[in-house]
Amino acid sequence: MKRVLFLLPLIVAACATPREQCISSANSEVRVLTRLANVTRGNVERGYGIEEYQEFVEVRVACNVLQEDGTMRATFCDETQVRNRTRPVTINLAEERVKLRDLETRLAQEQRRANAAVQQCVAIHPE
């Protein structure tokens, strides 16, 4: 199942028209900067950051075990599961505000560049 989810963006990208691929590529940096600015803005508004981490937990699950005589027997087995968690972390608010200002400035510049690139995509790949 994980392989299918990993390949899904590649499959979807393969179905996109050349114009859509060009526009998506032109906007990729804007998407990254927008995500970073949103995370930083949230940190400033909350007054703390959020750290993501993984927790490994042993759980009992139902499973079938093959017997020596070839039959299956239902029993319980231990399985390790990974749980994604978050926790608050301290941040330097002054540094986060400076970082947010810088990201917003870069985002505005990148948006202008992306708009010009999208116009080129439309000119190169008319529908």
Side-chain angles (χ1 to χ4, degrees):
M1 182 69 175
K2 289 182 181 181
R3 289 183 198 160
V4 172
L5 293 177
F6 174 73
L7 294 175
L8 190 59
L10 298 175
I11 293 168
V12 171
C15 297
T17 65
R19 181 181 190 170
E20 291 168 336
Q21 291 175 350
C22 183
I23 291 171
S24 178
S25 177
N27 285 315
S28 64
E29 189 71 18
V30 171
R31 286 191 300 272
V32 170
L33 289 171
T34 299
R35 186 185 60 78
L36 291 172
N38 287 339
V39 168
T40 306
R41 190 175 296 109
N43 290 348
V44 169
E45 289 171 359
R46 276 188 312 275
Y48 60 89
I50 296 178
E51 176 184 68
E52 294 180 5
Y53 67 99
Q54 292 182 329
E55 180 179 80
F56 299 91
V57 181
E58 291 288 327
V59 293
R60 287 210 151 236
V61 296
C63 60
N64 294 315
V65 176
L66 182 62
Q67 300 290 321
E68 288 182 18
D69 63 1
T71 61
M72 298 297 280
R73 180 175 62 92
T75 186
F76 289 98
C77 302
D78 290 332
E79 180 181 279
T80 302
Q81 292 183 355
V82 179
R83 296 187 180 155
N84 294 320
R85 304 281 192 197
T86 60
R87 61 182 159 220
V89 292
T90 58
I91 58 172
N92 182 324
L93 279 174
E95 286 178 9
E96 286 291 300
R97 287 185 183 108
V98 169
K99 183 165 95 173
L100 180 58
R101 262 195 322 273
D102 291 346
L103 283 169
E104 288 173 339
T105 301
R106 285 180 53 205
L107 181 58
Q109 293 168 348
E110 188 59 31
Q111 186 66 58
R112 286 190 295 275
R113 188 212 56 79
N115 289 342
V118 167
Q119 288 176 355
Q120 282 183 328
C121 292
V122 171
I124 293 170
H125 304 285
E127 288 189 341

